[in-house]
Amino acid sequence: MRHALLTANDSEDIVQQLQEQGFACVPAAQLAALAGVPLAQLRALEPTWNDLPRDQYLLDGGKYRARRHGSFIQNCAAGTLEPVKHRAHWQPTSYNALHGGIERWFEPLAPHVSADAAWQKLLLTLGEIFALRRDEKQWFIEAHQFRIDTAQGVGRPTPEGAHRDGVHFVAVILVQRGDMRGGESRVFEADGPNGVRFTLSEPWTVVLLDDARVIHETTPILPGATAGVRDTLVLTYRAGGFQDPV
């Protein structure tokens, strides 16, 4: 794994970096270009983060996280993306020691978000890139809109700590970074000592992760001069089916 953060500008660069180091960072302009949509169309989605209900499942007692959740199936050959009936988000305790083993029924994505053309192109494009790295015909995608705030002090983007998600690929997209301190992204080898640390600042920059090869976390955020927020879109891509309780 390289110790310097590199940015990938096209699909070939991204696939090469995923293969070599297990992650890739794609700037906002390149992400929009790859998806074939103006960056302004992605940014037009940002107000939907103002309508996220509070996460009722935080076991650390915090009130700093709001979120919505939705699931999709991508047919890579046909280039289609189909929403599925609203379902619980579930992870085994082996991947999430804090919240694993619990069916968490978050509020669903707003219908106009799931139906948005730029949203759909974004999910499809990332799935196509991941299919270049791992030859799969179908992806089972979970989408999470997150807002972490500092209204009550410390906000924790990853209260479970450094982790893997139990999927094949993860995309962490920064949507907004308000008046705050912290929020450093950390990506480390799952089976080695190397890693990188960096802070995402430009809206719609994305970090792509090979979930089998790296672990990741984001450090807590603290208020700046005023209470701040950190909004992200986290997308997970899994082959063979969604994670569900056995």
Side-chain angles (χ1 to χ4, degrees), residues 80-97:
T80 58
L81 182 73
E82 297 294 335
V84 303
K85 183 179 178 181
H86 190 54
R87 49 184 293 281
H89 175 55
W90 184 87
Q91 294 173 292
T93 55
S94 56
Y95 286 107
N96 190 328

Side-chain angles (χ1 to χ4, degrees), residues 121-153:
K121 289 181 179 179
L122 174 64
L123 270 62
L124 285 167
T125 297
L126 293 176
E128 290 165 0
I129 291 171
F130 293 142
L132 293 175
R133 176 67 186 94
R134 179 186 173 96
D135 185 17
E136 297 290 346
K137 305 304 181 187
Q138 196 174 52
W139 290 121
F140 294 81
I141 305 169
E142 293 192 53
H144 306 262
Q145 287 182 294
F146 284 106
R147 167 166 287 181
I148 308 297
D149 68 54
T150 60
Q152 298 184 23

Side-chain angles (χ1 to χ4, degrees), residues 48-66:
T48 67
W49 268 259
N50 295 327
D51 186 33
L52 304 184
R54 287 288 171 183
D55 185 339
Q56 301 298 318
Y57 293 92
L58 282 172
L59 295 181
D60 64 359
K63 301 295 183 183
Y64 52 80
R65 184 161 75 180

